[in-house]
Amino acid sequence: MSQADKAKAFAALHVKGAPLILFNAWDAGSAKAIAEAGAKAIATSSWSVAAAQGYQDGEDLPIAIAEQVAGRIAATVDVPVTVDFEGGYSDDDDQLASNISKLLELGVIGINFEDRVVKGKGLYDPERQAKRIATIRRVADHKGVPFFINARSDVFFGNGSDPEDALRREKAYSAAGASGFFIPGLTDAGLIKRIASEATLPINVMVMGGLPSNDELVKLGVARISYGPIPYIEAMDALKKKAAKLFS
């Protein structure tokens, strides 16, 4: 498939009540293993990609390495690849546009793009973040790729838990050209159901302690379930245990 066709196919996988399951990868090897296991798409976790290279999350990983990892994954698997691109590695819209253009050249068909001020405090206000999303959409449209912009909001991830704020942001991000709405940190079933029913974008949640089961999330109307850093953590734990038996 062409890059544009992969992007369209990826978007079509986001079905309310029949969620896309993403078991997040961190390099080409893990992506290949996950794809061979039957995954319909590959998504990265910024935390895992950074940790695998010896860095902390939060754009400490140099962008050149982040791009290299994304490019190797896209070149290794045949399924659509979306990357966790944190805050886009820039507060400047022109530089953001350049960074997104590079990802598109590497064959990536989507990103997670968060409203947390990665190198600062708190969240961007909805209008500013919407402008940033619109910048990404213009770049993708210019290249003819229906890029999947998964607009991540950290309203429930260490920045309070205001569902009204989340819904305001979802509306603003949707109008700016976002493709999905990612709300990590939200685990309350009632709020997940409410946001999924009131939002216009497909809703993405992240597996963590307290989150309802996948079967329950289906009933709540979720369209995408991400495993975030869990696959990397579990893989490294298994590696450590295996090595410990050899060295003890």
Side-chain angles (χ1 to χ4, degrees):
M1 288 190 292
S2 69
Q3 185 179 15
D5 287 339
K6 284 183 178 180
K8 292 175 185 176
F10 182 70
L13 293 172
H14 294 72
V15 179
K16 188 175 183 178
L20 168 65
I21 305 295
L22 293 172
F23 200 67
N24 301 70
W26 57 91
D27 60 12
S30 59
K32 184 178 180 182
I34 293 166
E36 289 178 347
K40 297 178 180 178
I42 293 296
T44 65
S45 154
S46 65
W47 191 98
S48 303
V49 172
Q53 299 296 327
Y55 291 87
Q56 297 294 314
D57 196 20
E59 296 182 2
D60 281 354
L61 178 73
I63 189 171
I65 299 178
E67 291 168 346
Q68 182 181 45
V69 171
R72 287 307 310 149
I73 292 174
T76 299
V77 300
D78 293 327
V79 297
V81 174
T82 181
V83 302
D84 184 350
F85 204 48
E86 300 193 75
Y89 278 82
S90 182
D91 185 51
D92 177 79
D93 289 354
D94 289 339
Q95 185 60 53
L96 173 62
S98 177
N99 294 345
I100 296 301
S101 181
K102 181 63 180 294
L103 284 184
L104 283 158
E105 291 169 4
L106 292 170
V108 171
I109 56 80
I111 57 169
N112 284 353
F113 184 62
E114 63 194 59
D115 57 13
R116 178 173 66 94
V117 182
V118 177
K119 293 301 184 181
K121 295 182 179 180
L123 309 179
Y124 285 104
D125 65 61
E127 293 74 21
R128 175 64 184 128
Q129 184 67 1
K131 183 180 179 183
R132 284 158 51 79
I133 290 169
T135 295
I136 297 171
R137 179 55 65 207
R138 283 195 297 273
V139 173
D141 286 350
H142 180 71
K143 290 186 175 292
V145 177
F147 204 55
F148 196 100
I149 305 170
N150 199 32
R152 167 175 161 165
S153 181
D154 279 11
V155 169
F156 298 99
F157 210 54
N159 293 281
S161 57
D162 184 355
E164 302 303 332
D165 187 21
L167 287 166
R168 282 193 299 271
R169 289 174 179 275
E170 187 275 339
K171 184 177 180 180
Y173 301 167
S174 177
S179 315
F181 190 54
F182 183 25
I183 40 178
L186 178 59
T187 59
D188 180 84
L191 287 180
I192 293 172
K193 183 176 182 179
R194 180 188 170 193
I195 292 175
S197 64
E198 295 185 24
T200 58
L201 296 172
I203 298 301
N204 180 191
V205 296
M206 185 170 73
V207 174
M208 59 190 302
L211 188 75
S213 69
N214 286 2
D215 287 344
E216 182 64 20
L217 291 171
V218 167
K219 299 174 184 177
L220 297 176
V222 167
R224 174 167 164 174
I225 302 171
S226 301
Y227 276 74
I230 290 175
Y232 176 83
I233 292 169
E234 290 182 343
M236 293 305 104
D237 283 347
L239 179 64
K240 213 180 297 184
K241 289 176 182 177
K242 182 70 174 179
K245 291 180 180 179
L246 298 174
F247 303 131
S248 59

